[in-house]
Amino acid sequence: MSAEADSLPPLGIYLHWPFCSAICPYCDFNVHAAHKNTASQKDWLAAYRAELAHAHGLRPHGPVQSVFFGGGTPSLMPGDLVAGILQEIDRLWGLAGDAEITLEANPVSAAQVHLQELRHAGITRLSLGVQAFDDDALKFLGRTHSANDAQHAFAAAQDIFDSASFDLIYARPDQSLAAWQKELAAALALAPHHMSLYQLTIEPGTAFYARAQQGRLHVPDEDAAADLYEATQSLCAAAGLPAYEVSNHAAPSHRCRHNQAIWQGGDYLGIGPGAHGRVTINGIKHASLAMRQPQDWLAACRQNGHGWQLRELTAASAAEEAVMLGLRLVEGRPLAELAAQGVMLDGTRLAALQQDGLLSAQKDVLQATEKGRLLLDYIIARLLA
């Protein structure tokens, strides 16, 4: 292996499938109604292959350590399409022997026979978009499955894949601390190895944002949200799923390696409509962004071989991103690793934040305390001002 390849960060690939059977009112991702997908499976595979080839020309050194199919609802993808994409990745870069290959799924598009097809295609880890184990909450969140559907889908995923995870959303309107503790305890009783637990945020451009602007939707205030967060940490830790990132909890051997590598500064190639990526070219980190509209992206891949825009990150932007991502990790990032990425932090500011109890007192690691993880925006602004 060349010296250049030795110096590159680990490589992952994110593949975006932009279609959902229904658009959730809280979602601000690049999603489109599934009935608007008029392209054939052959067209999609050709476009993904073209963009992968383009990305390989920029970052040819492998192997690929992880692949993450996100969306949208990637469980709507035919198994043959998933298999064809993974075969192309393996042909171009090589897939590591222990590569983690994740696919996000909706419980209503996770029939057992389809999950088995996805496993046969090469998926090793399933991430199930449960969002709540309460039927009234699921209706409020615009989900099309029931709590019972979610339990059955997760049980099937546990049987079929090496690892299975699910997402939940809390800090919902009128959600009491006792109600969330009961719901989370029921979720933990399913013996998951990994959970992603997100506080409901109201994002511009969503249906929930319009309701909030009209005064028809109110989420818990900061103090109530902090109480919910602290209860989440306590219950999950007691169940053997401590937080390893602000919103992610896992048994030690079941952390999402794809996301963890990103938080640690790894390269990831963003493939598909609206996909973001980070890629090191000639020692400099670049950001990629693909066209958002599926038809525009498909046309660009046919005509130009890709739908990417690529820009070099400034030193300041790269430093801010490395600090922001590193602080999300419960273990933080070694200062030596950050320095190798060009991040040099002011010792006086570090000491002041340590004195305030927001950063760990460890001298060789940038690590937020539990209190600090509730105030990451404030810490980052203080560190990088």
Side-chain angles (χ1 to χ4, degrees):
M1 188 176 287
S2 69
E4 179 193 1
D6 284 339
S7 68
L8 287 168
L11 180 62
I13 294 179
Y14 172 80
L15 284 123
H16 192 75
W17 179 254
F19 297 108
C20 286
S21 55
I23 309 298
C24 297
Y26 56 83
C27 181
D28 70 336
F29 296 154
N30 184 37
V31 294
H32 305 266
H35 70 267
K36 295 183 178 178
N37 178 21
T38 57
S40 69
Q41 182 176 327
K42 181 180 178 181
D43 290 337
W44 280 103
L45 182 57
Y48 282 120
R49 282 176 169 166
E51 197 157 79
L52 286 165
H54 174 73
H56 181 263
L58 299 171
R59 166 72 201 257
H61 301 292
V64 170
Q65 302 291 337
S66 62
V67 180
F68 196 107
F69 289 82
T73 307
S75 51
L76 295 174
M77 299 173 75
D80 288 348
L81 177 56
V82 173
I85 292 168
L86 291 174
Q87 288 162 9
E88 187 68 2
I89 291 170
D90 194 33
R91 185 186 74 80
L92 289 168
W93 289 275
L95 278 165
D98 64 344
E100 175 193 84
I101 304 174
T102 300
L103 184 136
E104 293 181 332
N106 187 325
V108 293
S109 58
Q112 188 161 343
V113 64
H114 186 51
L115 295 183
Q116 289 168 338
E117 290 173 358
L118 292 170
R119 173 69 198 217
H120 182 71
I123 301 303
T124 65
R125 181 179 181 275
L126 197 80
S127 179
L128 202 62
V130 171
Q131 314 313 359
F133 283 108
D134 175 278
D135 285 339
D136 288 339
L138 286 167
K139 185 175 180 180
F140 163 74
L141 292 169
R143 306 299 286 170
T144 56
H145 63 271
S146 67
N148 191 52
D149 292 335
Q151 290 174 14
H152 284 295
F154 186 65
Q158 286 176 303
D159 287 341
I160 293 169
F161 298 95
D162 296 347
S163 187
S165 174
F166 56 76
D167 298 355
L168 295 177
I169 295 174
Y170 67 102
R172 306 186 297 258
D174 303 319
Q175 184 179 38
S176 69
L177 178 59
W180 171 236
Q181 288 172 318
K182 181 180 178 181
E183 185 177 347
L184 182 54
L188 289 164
L190 300 174
H193 292 128
H194 187 288
M195 295 192 301
S196 299
L197 306 174
Y198 302 106
Q199 292 193 19
L200 178 62
T201 55
I202 308 302
E203 303 292 348
T206 64
F208 274 1
Y209 184 81
R211 288 187 215 173
Q213 293 293 98
Q214 295 162 3
R216 297 191 294 123
L217 190 153
H218 302 278
V219 296
D221 62 26
E222 285 187 10
D223 289 341
D227 290 343
L228 290 162
Y229 177 82
E230 289 167 5
T232 301
Q233 309 314 300
S234 177
L235 277 170
C236 289
L241 273 72
Y244 68 99
E245 188 266 350
V246 169
S247 301
N248 286 274
H249 300 254
S253 61
H254 286 271
R255 295 178 175 186
C256 177
R257 289 193 281 125
H258 178 85
N259 286 338
Q260 187 163 263
I262 291 172
W263 295 321
Q264 292 171 338
D267 277 0
Y268 62 103
L269 304 171
I271 306 295
H276 294 256
R278 295 291 183 271
V279 56
T280 303
I281 304 171
N282 298 323
I284 298 171
K285 190 76 87 173
H286 289 68
S288 69
L289 175 61
M291 293 176 173
R292 289 178 60 86
Q293 290 296 327
Q295 292 304 321
D296 292 345
W297 178 80
L298 286 162
C301 288
R302 280 195 302 270
Q303 294 164 15
N304 307 318
H306 67 93
W308 274 19
Q309 290 182 330
L310 195 67
R311 64 179 174 85
E312 182 179 318
L313 288 180
T314 66
S317 293
E320 181 176 356
E321 190 166 277
V323 169
M324 178 185 69
L325 294 175
L327 282 171
R328 292 188 65 87
L329 289 165
V330 170
E331 295 164 359
R333 292 285 307 280
L335 290 172
E337 285 185 9
L338 290 170
Q341 291 180 239
V343 181
M344 303 302 293
L345 297 172
D346 182 273
T348 302
R349 293 176 183 170
L350 284 170
L353 289 163
Q354 290 168 344
Q355 185 69 30
D356 291 342
L358 301 180
L359 291 181
S360 163
Q362 295 184 70
K363 296 190 185 308
D364 58 348
V365 177
L366 178 68
Q367 179 188 37
T369 62
E370 187 166 332
K371 175 184 173 184
R373 286 197 294 278
L374 292 169
L375 298 167
L376 290 185
D377 289 344
Y378 172 78
I379 293 172
I380 292 164
R382 287 277 301 277
L383 278 176
L384 301 176

